[in-house]
Amino acid sequence: MKSCVLLIACDPADTRLVVKALTRACEESLDIEGVTTLSSGVERINKGGVLAVILDLEMPDHHGIGTYEKFFSAAPDIPMLLLSGTETESIARQALDRGAQDYILKNHLDEFRLRRVVRGMIERKAAEDAAFRQQQLAELTLSCTGDAVLTTDTFGRVTELNRAAETLTGWTSEEAIGCKLGDVFQIIDSVTRQPVQDPLIAVVNAESSALVLANRLLIRRDGFEVAIEDSAAHTRDRHGNVSGAVIVFHDVSAARAKTLELSHRAQHDFLTDLPNRVLLNDRINQAISFAARYSKQLAVIFVDLDYFKKINDAFGHAVGDKLLQSVATRLVSCVRRSDSVSRLGGDEFAILLSQVERSEDAVFSAKKILNALAAPYSIDQKHLDINASIGVSTYPSDGQDAETLIQKADTAMYDAKKLGRNSYQFFRADMQARVLERQRLESALRSALGRDELKLNYQPKIDLKTWEITGVEALLRWHHPDRGLIPPSQFIPIAEESGLIVPIGQWVLLEACRQARAWMDAGLPPVRVAVNVSALQFMAKDFLSCVRAVLISTGVDPHNLELELTETVLMQDAESAVDKLHALKAIGVQLAVDDFGIGYSSFSYLRRFPLDALKVDRTFIKDLSADAGAATIVTAMINIGKSLHHRVIAEGVETREQVQFLQTQGCGEGQGYFFCHPVIAEKFAQFLESGLREYVVH
Ligand code: C2E
Ligand code: CA
Ligand code: CA
């Protein structure tokens, strides 16, 4: 419905006058509707769209103040201009007191004034409505917002608090209003815990009108502390003068707790909750700055568990994890609160000792740790034992930064492992030299295969009765371009630790079979070639298929290939070794236990392994002449081999006496310098052709 001004008057002359006044010369003329009785006027109002009413107090159905009151009770919100005669002017004034906007005398009806009054009335009403809506909206927003809002006057007295502010401060509006801001809104810095500047002063001093302030703690009325973030701004009155301040704040405890948790996680190990490498580095570097300033020392202890992997493999990761947690707890109990125990990963831990007067202090801690870790563990009703190897580096002698100190402690730990485990070593410069040397060899070895620097030598195995060649062992040689011949004892361990033994071993297997085939093709009698197999190679999933592929591609009869596996390799995971050996046996290759006697063989497994030969370790043969006990042991080993129906091969045979002893004990075969050193393939071909009897001139 269109909006209009409603004229309620019964005198047609008055009506005309008003209509003329309001419609004439008016830029945007107002629509005017007229009714002649008060009741029809009320009816029209109820339909809506009436902006203002011009009401004659003298109506046919009502008179005087009664007219006004009747209409006002029906439409209290609509602005009203009264038309009054001079005689009823006092009534019109009365009506003004009760809420009418204005009155105008009929006999002084001035068009201009009439227009102005009506227009003013309408505009004022519109402005009031708008202001009301604004106010409503503001109140609604304040009560719904999660933010707490608090306002003050220029004297810093609280003037208003919304619901959220009541909850956060612990003050009700009634109690707070009129109080000093500092009493209701007590805040301290969360880091320094010092009271912070009154936000009012901060706002007044600030260039900008709004300030956002983080890292605050609000002390609630009951003393409880709430982490908040607040912003403050000054409020101004209509004339632009500062009239007070509004402070908006909210609880950030949850967000801050989340941030703290995230940063904790980034710096700690999830399993043990110890500091991780990142945090340890930080702490060491801090301790170094401190030690440098006060000329102090500090030590880094690197702890690595011995044979942890075995526990993990035998009992599963859950047990392994719990063991690591127990180790962590014990380590922490070994050191002072000012020291830092950290887990670097796996079974490696590092400890920063920040108060070291002399190196004996670190010795004391290292011994204490070894003792603490060595006590038995009870995990999931299982009793476990584990030891550790420890390396120690010290500041300032071994390094000037965290990385270097940790690395040197690691190097020293590596030495402790080599020297027998369950022990500690301090870092020494020669260790570093050895590490560097090792790294150099490793990188040279990496390219050795491609550069054709690896060769095989061949050492015959001899039948001790007939002196015939029963087989030949392929032995790896590395001709380093600058250093000449490097013995396997120096490079095989590096190849094993770096994993290079897998491709190298693969090459040995292929090269040995290729050579066996070449001798056959040259018309020489077929010979069984033995190849040494390392743990990593044997454990690799594709070992079986590699062996098969080599045999097929070289055309060597599987019976003419013998794989030599040490006791240690076989016993590492004896159950799966049983399966693997059976699979290899099914292909037809021969299987020998290498270095028999120095490892820990379980006899029940020796019976279950489908073996063909035992190679008695050369240390026992060497001791034969000097040590009667050794003779007994060798005899026992020969008998074990025989009772299991295995061929028995004595390694490292160097003297005639040894040969005679072995012969009398019924040892089938021998291998050693007495018969022949390892030789190149061409030389071995000659032996194959003419036999060894001539060659051995003893
Ligand atoms: P091994 O398997 O026990 O090999 C026998 C070692 O004894 C060879 O040393 C051989 O030269 C040496 N030897 C032979 N006769 C005598 C003797 O009368 N007296 C003494 N004292 N020693 C004798 P080599 O060639 O230096 O190899 C050392 C070890 O390196 C081997 O011990 C084997 O464990 C490893 N190795 C050699 N070649 C390979 C290979 O191709 N693959 C793997 N995985 N390991 C290899
Ligand atoms: Ca061997
Ligand atoms: Ca051996």
Side-chain angles (χ1 to χ4, degrees):
M1 182 170 300
K2 245 184 118 181
S3 31
C4 67
V5 174
L6 178 65
L7 173 64
I8 307 172
C10 52
D11 184 346
D14 293 345
T15 304
R16 254 196 317 280
L17 253 169
V18 171
V19 172
K20 192 173 127 207
L22 291 186
T23 47
R24 184 204 239 190
C26 180
E27 322 74 62
E28 19 165 337
S29 66
L30 290 159
D31 269 339
I32 298 168
E33 284 181 33
V35 291
T36 51
T37 62
L38 189 58
S39 48
S40 52
V42 171
E43 240 171 66
R44 171 63 192 87
I45 289 282
N46 288 338
K47 287 185 188 156
V50 176
L51 295 173
V53 167
I54 302 168
L55 173 67
D56 189 347
L57 284 173
E58 288 310 313
M59 295 300 294
D61 46 352
H62 286 85
H63 301 284
I65 194 74
T67 314
Y68 166 76
E69 276 176 350
K70 175 80 185 160
F71 191 82
F72 182 75
S73 65
D77 282 342
I78 298 196
M80 196 189 309
L81 171 69
L82 301 172
L83 287 179
S84 160
T86 343
E87 65 289 0
T88 55
E89 188 171 353
S90 64
I91 294 171
R93 290 224 177 100
Q94 228 179 307
L96 278 197
D97 290 340
R98 299 192 189 177
Q101 257 64 42
D102 211 344
Y103 71 92
I104 217 160
L105 294 172
K106 296 183 203 171
N107 46 352
H108 287 99
L109 225 154
D110 166 5
E111 284 181 17
F112 176 72
R113 179 161 136 62
L114 181 65
R115 256 202 322 269
R116 233 193 46 197
V117 170
V118 171
R119 216 166 257 292
M121 248 167 40
I122 293 173
E123 279 165 11
R124 208 174 315 125
K125 174 72 169 58
E128 276 170 19
D129 284 353
F132 181 75
R133 275 199 304 276
Q134 280 291 318
Q135 173 77 14
Q136 286 259 299
L137 195 65
E139 276 170 16
L140 200 68
T141 313
L142 273 188
S143 65
C144 294
T145 177
D147 282 348
V149 181
L150 186 155
T151 58
T152 73
D153 59 19
T154 42
F155 305 105
R157 279 185 307 246
V158 175
T159 52
E160 229 177 313
L161 246 80
N162 72 351
R163 186 88 45 81
E166 288 182 331
T167 314
L168 277 184
T169 58
W171 289 69
T172 63
S173 299
E174 292 85 66
E175 295 164 332
I177 289 170
C179 290
K180 289 220 313 261
L181 175 68
D183 294 339
V184 179
F185 191 63
Q186 268 189 61
I187 42 175
I188 58 170
D189 188 287
S190 64
V191 182
T192 63
R193 301 197 58 84
Q194 292 300 308
V196 294
Q197 195 186 29
D198 188 328
L200 253 191
I201 302 171
V203 163
V204 172
N205 291 342
E207 291 280 295
S208 69
S209 64
L211 269 183
V212 178
L213 309 154
N215 284 336
R216 304 307 184 86
L217 288 176
L218 169 68
I219 318 254
R220 215 164 59 184
R221 201 175 187 185
D222 58 8
F224 189 84
E225 294 177 2
V226 191
I228 59 157
E229 202 169 75
D230 62 329
S231 55
H234 28 234
T235 51
R236 294 179 188 279
D237 63 14
R238 286 188 296 152
H239 310 291
N241 301 318
V242 171
S243 62
V246 53
I247 300 161
V248 180
F249 52 105
H250 59 269
D251 185 347
V252 291
S253 320
R256 207 169 284 170
K258 188 85 200 154
T259 314
L260 284 178
E261 189 204 317
L262 285 178
S263 84
H264 180 90
R265 260 198 260 161
Q267 296 188 314
H268 290 78
D269 163 48
F270 68 97
L271 184 66
T272 60
D273 205 37
L274 291 176
N276 62 13
R277 189 184 279 268
V278 177
L279 186 52
L280 179 74
N281 267 18
D282 259 20
R283 293 202 178 154
I284 296 179
N285 284 332
Q286 264 173 28
I288 287 176
S289 317
F290 183 84
R293 203 168 324 132
Y294 298 101
S295 306
K296 299 266 182 205
Q297 294 190 38
L298 55 91
V300 173
I301 294 187
F302 198 107
V303 180
D304 188 292
L305 303 182
D306 297 338
Y307 304 113
F308 174 71
K309 195 178 165 304
K310 282 198 173 164
I311 290 191
N312 236 357
D313 290 347
F315 301 105
H317 285 274
V319 170
D321 284 355
K322 284 184 192 161
L323 178 63
L324 288 173
Q325 285 165 338
S326 301
V327 166
T329 313
R330 291 190 190 183
L331 288 177
V332 170
S333 71
C334 282
V335 299
R336 298 185 222 192
R337 284 178 64 85
S338 53
D339 299 333
S340 283
V341 177
S342 120
R343 180 172 172 238
L344 302 180
D347 60 348
E348 292 178 349
F349 296 84
I351 299 164
L352 159 68
L353 301 181
S354 49
Q355 292 172 18
V356 179
E357 298 293 333
R358 297 152 303 148
S359 57
E360 286 83 68
D361 295 347
V363 171
F364 176 79
S365 295
K367 283 184 178 163
K368 195 170 167 192
I369 290 168
L370 286 176
N371 277 333
L373 296 188
Y377 298 78
S378 171
I379 285 160
D380 292 352
Q381 278 93 48
K382 289 179 190 66
H383 287 283
L384 303 177
D385 286 299
I386 197 146
N387 290 314
S389 298
I390 288 181
V392 186
S393 65
T394 54
Y395 169 87
S397 47
D398 297 332
Q400 304 294 315
D401 60 82
E403 284 292 339
T404 312
L405 288 176
I406 295 176
Q407 182 253 311
K408 293 200 169 164
D410 185 2
T411 303
M413 181 283 293
Y414 192 78
D415 233 60
K417 276 230 167 296
K418 278 199 172 155
L419 293 174
R421 301 178 189 244
N422 193 23
S423 63
Y424 66 89
Q425 286 290 319
F426 273 65
F427 175 80
R428 295 185 317 269
D430 63 297
M431 293 177 182
Q432 186 76 353
R434 252 181 295 158
V435 168
L436 281 178
E437 161 73 2
R438 217 198 85 96
Q439 284 171 350
R440 248 181 258 132
L441 270 187
E442 186 183 320
S443 76
L445 188 57
R446 219 166 266 285
S447 37
L449 252 186
R451 293 195 190 143
D452 217 14
E453 291 166 14
L454 298 181
K455 295 277 184 292
L456 289 184
N457 274 8
Y458 296 89
Q459 187 178 35
K461 297 174 184 175
I462 308 300
D463 184 315
L464 290 179
K465 277 194 197 129
T466 63
W467 284 53
E468 272 162 14
I469 296 173
T470 57
V472 62
E473 180 175 1
L475 292 161
L476 191 55
R477 297 289 174 262
W478 180 14
H479 295 273
H480 190 283
D482 309 323
R483 303 185 188 197
L485 195 65
I486 299 179
S489 58
Q490 273 183 32
F491 71 87
I492 296 280
I494 295 176
E496 282 173 336
E497 276 166 37
S498 60
L500 280 170
I501 194 69
V502 175
I504 290 177
Q506 175 70 18
W507 176 84
V508 171
L509 189 65
L510 181 65
E511 176 60 19
C513 288
R514 200 198 51 73
Q515 185 59 62
R517 176 69 207 219
W519 286 324
M520 251 170 64
D521 290 348
L524 297 166
V527 64
R528 180 182 295 141
V529 183
V531 169
N532 292 291
V533 177
S534 274
L536 267 188
Q537 253 183 299
F538 183 61
M539 285 185 302
K541 282 204 182 63
D542 60 350
F543 180 61
L544 199 72
S545 49
C546 282
V547 172
R548 213 181 273 125
V550 164
L551 289 171
I552 291 171
S553 72
T554 55
V556 168
D557 181 344
H559 291 280
N560 283 336
L561 175 64
E562 183 156 83
L563 300 178
E564 293 191 3
L565 297 140
T566 64
E567 277 180 295
T568 328
V569 169
L570 293 176
M571 295 309 298
Q572 241 174 39
D573 183 359
E575 265 314 309
S576 64
V578 169
D579 297 342
K580 272 226 163 118
L581 293 178
H582 275 288
L584 285 165
K585 202 70 227 145
I587 299 178
V589 297
Q590 299 279 298
L591 300 169
V593 185
D594 204 354
D595 304 348
F596 184 61
I598 58 165
Y600 304 91
S601 280
S602 137
F603 284 98
S604 68
Y605 273 115
L606 269 187
R607 279 216 333 261
R608 287 179 62 199
F609 292 148
L611 298 168
D612 300 286
L614 293 186
K615 294 187 77 179
V616 178
D617 190 73
R618 61 180 169 277
T619 50
F620 300 102
I621 309 299
K622 191 173 124 230
D623 293 345
L624 269 181
S625 44
D627 181 352
T632 319
I633 295 173
V634 171
T635 307
M637 285 196 279
I638 293 169
N639 288 330
I640 290 169
K642 283 207 265 188
S643 69
L644 293 170
H645 306 290
H646 296 335
R647 286 157 45 225
V648 180
I649 304 154
E651 292 185 332
V653 181
E654 295 186 355
T655 66
R656 186 172 295 279
E657 292 72 42
Q658 289 165 350
V659 176
Q660 278 164 356
F661 177 81
L662 293 165
Q663 279 171 333
T664 53
Q665 296 306 315
C667 179
E669 297 170 43
Q671 179 184 351
Y673 298 162
F674 178 76
F675 309 105
C676 182
H677 279 254
V679 292
I680 59 168
E682 291 73 19
K683 185 81 188 159
F684 184 73
Q686 288 175 16
F687 295 146
L688 266 186
E689 181 137 47
S690 52
L692 262 181
R693 204 175 271 280
E694 303 297 303
Y695 176 75
V696 184
V697 287
H698 309 283

